[in-house]
C-alpha cells in the first residue's frame, strides 16, 4: 500500500475514533481506546521511521478533532482564535503521545 494511502487511512481512523470517543465514551475512559489504537498503529507500521510518522499524525489528528467536536464555548472571533491556538497547541502534545505509543507498538512487534 502506498504511503499516502496509509496516511489517509490513519488520519481517517483517528477522526473516526475521536468522534466515537466524543459522543459515546465519557470521562477519562477515552484514553483506553486511544492507547490501543496508537499501539496498533505502531504494530502495523513496517519500519521504525514510519511508526514515528504515523503515530505523530494519528495522535495529532485524534486530539485535534476530539477537542474541536467537544467545543461548546463562545462563537465570537476572539474566543475562536484562542480556542484554535489552544487546540493546535495541545494537539501537538498529543502528537508526541501518539508517536510514543506507536514506537512502543513497533517495539512490541519486534520482541513478540
Amino acid at each position: 500500500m502506498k504511503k499516502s494511502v496509509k496516511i489517509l487511512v490513519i488520519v481517517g481512523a483517528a477522526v473516526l475514533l475521536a468522534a466515537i470517543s466524543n459522543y459515546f465514551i465519557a470521562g477519562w475512559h477515552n484514553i483506553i481506546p486511544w492507547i490501543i489504537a496508537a499501539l496498533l498503529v505502531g504494530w502495523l507500521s513496517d519500519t521504525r521511521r514510519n511508526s514515528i510518522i504515523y503515530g505523530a499524525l494519528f495522535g495529532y489528528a485524534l486530539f485535534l478533532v476530539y477537542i474541536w467536536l467537544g467545543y461548546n464555548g463562545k462563537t465570537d472571533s476572539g474566543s475562536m482564535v484562542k480556542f484554535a491556538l489552544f487546540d493546535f497547541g495541545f494537539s501537538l502534545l498529543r502528537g508526541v503521545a501518539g508517536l510514543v505509543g506507536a514506537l512502543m507498538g513497533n517495539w512490541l512487534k519486534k520482541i513478540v
Side-chain angles (χ1 to χ4, degrees):
M1 187 183 289
K2 287 187 175 182
K3 191 173 188 175
S4 59
V5 174
K6 285 182 181 180
I7 289 173
L8 286 174
V9 168
I10 287 170
V11 170
V15 169
L16 182 64
L17 184 58
I20 290 169
S21 294
N22 188 50
Y23 294 117
F24 299 112
I25 304 172
W28 64 272
H29 296 87
N30 287 331
I31 201 164
I32 296 168
W34 294 359
I35 291 169
I36 293 169
L39 289 172
L40 190 62
V41 165
W43 186 278
L44 296 176
S45 297
D46 45 350
T47 65
R48 187 171 189 258
R49 180 177 181 265
N50 284 345
S51 70
I52 291 170
I53 294 168
Y54 299 154
L57 286 172
F58 173 78
Y60 184 80
L62 175 75
F63 201 71
L64 183 75
V65 173
Y66 178 75
I67 293 295
W68 183 74
L69 288 173
Y71 182 68
N72 293 323
K74 299 176 185 176
T75 57
D76 63 285
S77 60
S79 295
M80 289 301 290
V81 169
K82 289 176 188 172
F83 170 72
L85 291 174
F86 168 81
D87 194 12
F88 290 129
F90 276 95
S91 294
L92 287 174
L93 291 176
R94 181 59 191 148
V96 172
L99 179 148
V100 170
L103 277 174
M104 288 176 58
N106 191 269
W107 175 75
L108 285 172
K109 177 175 74 171
K110 291 178 182 178
I111 65 168
V112 171

